[in-house]
Amino acid sequence: MASRDGDRAVALSRQLARAHEELRRQIREIRTGLGHRRPGDDVLLTHCLAFCNALTSHHEGEDYGMFSQLLRERPDLAATVANLVEDHGLIASILSRVRELADGAAEPRGSTPEAIGRELDGLAAIMESHFRYEERTITEALDGRTPDTDWPDMVFGFGMR
């Protein structure tokens, strides 16, 4: 867990962990809800699209906000950040497939809950691995006295676009 010295860089490591926990909660909720879906119910599509948008916004905020700021102060993290950005690309392609499946679920011969569930299970596994790696490496960097210079207020990009 982040130290408690109050600087904004340390606060960002806590915010990162909280954002990840919220995304974990959302995918669990969607996955659980698949078994309770009724024909013609667009709740699945709504939840999937909201989740896909939230995860995409989170990763874009990291790529264009936190990571670029962090690399200014810690260029030694370039390889770590490159790995994380690569993961973001992989996750984005899976999110695209989830969107397609969720959208197709509303059609008479569309996607089945099982197909969507398999894709969500794969996404959840990759997300978990990615989040753990990111929390371990980036939190360590943020907690390790990374200078707090000009970090943007909305570093994660939630609500921005």
Side-chain angles (χ1 to χ4, degrees):
M1 180 50 112
S3 64
R4 297 181 184 264
D5 68 1
D7 85 356
R8 288 173 50 197
V10 171
L12 287 174
S13 74
R14 289 190 201 120
Q15 184 180 359
L16 177 67
R18 283 193 298 268
H20 288 172
E21 191 52 43
E22 175 59 19
L23 291 165
R24 287 174 175 116
R25 185 198 63 73
Q26 287 179 21
I27 199 167
R28 283 191 308 266
E29 183 179 291
I30 293 167
R31 186 63 180 97
T32 301
L34 283 176
H36 305 290
R37 187 177 172 275
R38 296 181 307 271
D41 188 358
D42 65 352
V43 171
L44 172 66
L45 177 60
T46 302
H47 280 98
C48 279
L49 293 177
F51 171 77
C52 290
N53 288 336
L55 186 54
T56 298
S57 291
H58 171 72
H59 284 163
E60 287 174 352
E62 288 178 340
D63 291 349
Y64 304 112
M66 183 176 74
F67 291 166
S68 60
Q69 292 289 336
L70 183 60
L71 287 174
R72 287 183 195 166
E73 301 299 332
R74 295 284 309 272
D76 59 301
L77 293 173
T80 298
V81 168
N83 289 337
L84 292 168
V85 170
E86 184 178 332
D87 283 357
H88 291 173
L90 172 63
I91 291 169
S93 68
I94 297 170
L95 287 173
S96 178
R97 179 72 179 136
V98 169
R99 283 184 189 105
E100 288 173 17
L101 290 171
D103 195 34
E107 298 172 14
R109 291 193 172 153
S111 308
T112 65
E114 293 79 19
I116 297 167
R118 284 189 300 273
E119 203 68 29
L120 288 173
D121 289 345
L123 175 61
I126 290 168
M127 277 175 44
E128 188 59 32
S129 173
H130 170 78
F131 287 169
R132 286 178 187 248
Y133 175 67
E134 185 174 70
E135 288 167 2
R136 187 177 62 251
T137 58
I138 300 302
T139 295
E140 181 180 309
L142 292 172
D143 288 357
R145 301 286 179 230
T146 297
D148 179 13
T149 54
D150 59 350
W151 291 92
D153 290 333
M154 290 293 289
V155 73
F156 294 109
F158 288 124
M160 298 172 65
R161 277 208 214 204

